[in-house]
Amino acid sequence: MTTSEWGFDTLQVHAGAAPDPANGARATPIFATTSYVFDSVDQAAASFRLDDLEQHAYSRLSNPTSVVAEQRIAALEHGSAAVAVSSGQAATTLALLNLLRSGDHVVASDRVYGGTVLLLRERFAELGIDTTFVSDVNDPAEWRRATRPNTRAFFAESIGNPTGVVLDIETVAQVAHEHARVPLIVDNTLATPYLVRPLDHGADIVVHSTTKFLSGHGTAIGGVVVDGASFDFGAEPRRWPGFHTADPSHGEVGYWERFAKLGLAYALRLRTTVLRGYGPAPSPFNSFLLLQGLETLSLRVRQHVANAQAVAEFLDRHPQVTQVHYPGLDTSPHAALARRYLPRGAGAVVSFELAAGLARGRRFVEAVRLFSHLANIGDVRSLIIHPASTVSANLTEEQLRAGGIGPGLIRLSVGIEDVDDLLADLERGFEAVTTHVS
Ligand SMILES: Cc1ncc(COP(=O)(O)O)c(C=O)c1O
């Protein structure tokens, strides 16, 4: 049986790893080294010219611990290659900068993580890269209307954070390819490849904040970019100068001419120009923690989604709740897309609006005990936060409204504890809201 025939549970334990040839270590060691000794001057030169893709040179470019995590995530996402970076924010930044230059344009869903909105709207604008945000994420006409001649990427999340919009990946990919002639990048952080593999549905590139479910234990910031090797940067070479211009340090022809046949043009360019140039390399310690998390990904996600479904149904029935955002609920406007793209479960982020409004909602957040009040998702522990005053506080009122984030919205990331204990904890929150009514 070959690696490509292994099931998900086998891949998450074994893909990319082998016993260490030098000492037999079975778990992947943490290679705490910045650099690697070359056998000869010729070998060193071959490594820098990218003639030898196996030899490591410097840990800003690649590291043996991180490579195991990269190969494992590429296998789980059905990608051709992956590049690990220091954070999810770095993954989004580098995935886009590998395609864009000053004067280019991006079309993005506005139902994405607040930090991504900030990156596109503020930081990229400072670099001369404009973004048009699409509000009805699954309306192909909106994506078409937003496209300009200088558009070079579409960007969206498979499940939007925090309001659970499920992306119709096939429809948006079709507009990206046939109308805009650009790749579709999907942030698959909330779903994980266990719930959906965007590359199987037409996306070209996947990014993750591995900080969340992939690492899974709230211990390590990290990110990864996965290349589907599906987008043809050779069809219109003049639109993609970065893939067709010779890079003086790496040889006489561009990345597309050299590496497209290996399915590595996008990933290798990202590693050896963008990551090399901007520098957000992952720590091998964090890659080790990521590998530990990946080994139990499906087991954890099964419990996360079962608990999230129960929590969402409990909230949906609760008289003190006016609205629940969870695509696994039959009443969700995204239920049909969730059934199509997420048959194993609709993720573990559940957001809801309290009838009592924001002022009393604060008491709810402070009263719960099992749910930790902090700014993260995708931990084995259950988490709670009020986005409008914290993780999304950088957004204007208009941007919050556009992103579906009401002033009283509370976001839960449902963990893997006993679900009855979680429901009892939420009930404690509701009691605090009513007890303190003056
Ligand atoms: C969907 C999504 N993408 C990207 C990020 C950024 O990841 P990181 O915090 O690892 O930089 C986050 C962080 O919350 C996120 O929720």
Side-chain angles (χ1 to χ4, degrees):
M1 196 176 228
T2 64
T3 312
S4 60
E5 289 165 333
W6 283 344
F8 194 96
D9 293 353
T10 308
L11 287 172
Q12 72 187 3
V13 175
H14 290 287
D20 190 290
N23 53 39
R26 190 64 188 89
T28 299
I30 301 169
F31 286 94
T33 184
T34 57
S35 349
Y36 308 83
V37 175
F38 300 114
D39 287 342
S40 66
V41 171
D42 282 348
Q43 189 200 34
S47 164
F48 275 82
R49 275 198 317 271
L50 305 182
D51 290 339
D52 178 352
L53 297 177
E54 298 298 316
Q55 171 69 34
H56 295 280
Y58 190 58
S59 284
R60 171 151 42 84
L61 287 165
S62 64
N63 170 280
T65 312
S66 303
V67 163
V68 177
E70 289 165 346
Q71 292 183 353
R72 194 165 296 175
I73 293 170
L76 293 174
E77 284 285 8
H78 287 174
S80 65
V83 180
V85 293
S86 60
S87 69
Q89 198 67 6
T92 303
T93 305
L94 267 54
L96 285 161
L97 288 182
N98 202 26
L99 302 170
L100 304 168
R101 49 182 60 199
S102 183
D104 287 345
H105 173 252
V106 179
V107 185
S109 155
D110 71 3
R111 300 297 171 119
V112 293
Y113 165 60
T116 305
V117 175
L118 191 70
L119 170 73
L120 292 166
R121 201 181 289 259
E122 312 286 338
R123 303 286 79 74
F124 275 20
E126 289 166 351
L127 300 178
I129 297 166
D130 278 344
T131 301
T132 302
F133 288 93
V134 163
S135 55
D136 187 350
V137 176
N138 292 320
D139 177 3
E142 267 214 55
W143 290 87
R144 251 185 249 120
R145 271 197 304 276
T147 301
R148 299 182 193 162
N150 57 339
T151 303
R152 290 294 178 271
F154 276 16
F155 186 94
E157 291 177 3
S158 50
I159 303 177
N161 179 10
T163 51
V165 176
V166 179
L167 183 68
D168 185 347
I169 303 169
E170 279 165 27
T171 298
V172 177
Q174 194 177 15
V175 182
H177 299 154
E178 291 172 16
H179 180 74
R181 291 140 45 221
V182 301
L184 170 63
I185 304 176
V186 173
D187 181 335
N188 200 27
T189 298
L190 266 69
T192 83
Y194 183 67
L195 298 179
V196 67
R197 289 166 160 138
L199 301 178
D200 287 353
H201 297 282
D204 302 286
I205 295 149
V206 163
V207 296
H208 278 278
S209 166
T210 61
T211 312
K212 321 296 185 195
F213 296 95
L214 298 192
S215 281
H217 298 77
T219 52
I221 300 282
V224 69
V225 183
V226 186
D227 182 6
S230 50
F231 191 80
D232 184 359
F233 293 100
E236 297 179 275
R238 284 214 301 235
R239 278 167 70 83
W240 308 104
F243 289 92
H244 297 280
T245 313
D247 180 339
S249 48
H250 300 142
E252 271 109 56
V253 292
Y255 283 85
W256 185 256
E257 285 72 19
R258 270 188 88 184
F259 298 112
K261 278 203 193 73
L262 299 174
L264 293 177
Y266 175 88
L268 211 52
R269 183 180 192 278
L270 192 146
R271 186 188 296 286
T272 57
T273 67
V274 194
L275 176 58
R276 183 183 187 186
Y278 289 95
S283 144
F285 290 92
N286 281 9
S287 296
F288 175 81
L289 293 171
L290 170 56
L291 283 168
Q292 297 291 292
L294 287 171
E295 290 176 2
T296 56
L297 178 63
S298 62
L299 284 73
R300 287 184 288 106
V301 172
R302 286 199 277 267
Q303 178 87 350
H304 274 294
V305 296
N307 282 357
Q309 185 70 34
V311 164
E313 287 172 10
F314 165 81
L315 292 171
D316 203 35
R317 284 192 305 268
H318 206 284
Q320 291 188 48
V321 172
T322 53
Q323 198 180 4
V324 182
H325 302 273
Y326 185 66
L329 289 175
D330 286 339
T331 49
S332 162
H334 314 293
L337 283 170
R339 278 192 291 274
R340 178 166 151 210
Y341 286 104
L342 304 162
R344 286 170 153 169
V349 174
V350 180
S351 299
F352 65 100
E353 300 271 356
L354 270 176
L358 170 60
R360 293 194 207 145
R362 298 166 79 104
R363 294 178 193 152
F364 187 101
V365 172
E366 288 168 5
V368 290
R369 293 200 206 125
L370 265 181
F371 282 80
S372 302
H373 179 198
L374 57 78
N376 194 21
I377 57 171
D379 192 327
V380 286
R381 284 157 279 267
S382 288
L383 315 173
I384 186 167
I385 200 148
H386 172 243
S389 62
T390 56
V391 284
S392 301
N394 56 289
L395 304 181
T396 62
E397 246 176 66
E398 189 199 332
Q399 289 165 354
L400 286 171
R401 226 177 303 117
I405 303 169
L409 189 86
I410 293 174
R411 183 185 75 188
L412 306 177
S413 174
V414 180
I416 64 170
E417 303 95 332
D418 282 299
V419 71
D420 288 343
D421 294 334
L422 296 179
L423 299 184
D425 200 39
L426 293 172
E427 201 49 74
R428 184 179 297 121
F430 285 118
E431 274 161 27
V433 171
T434 43
T435 315
H436 289 75
V437 175
S438 50

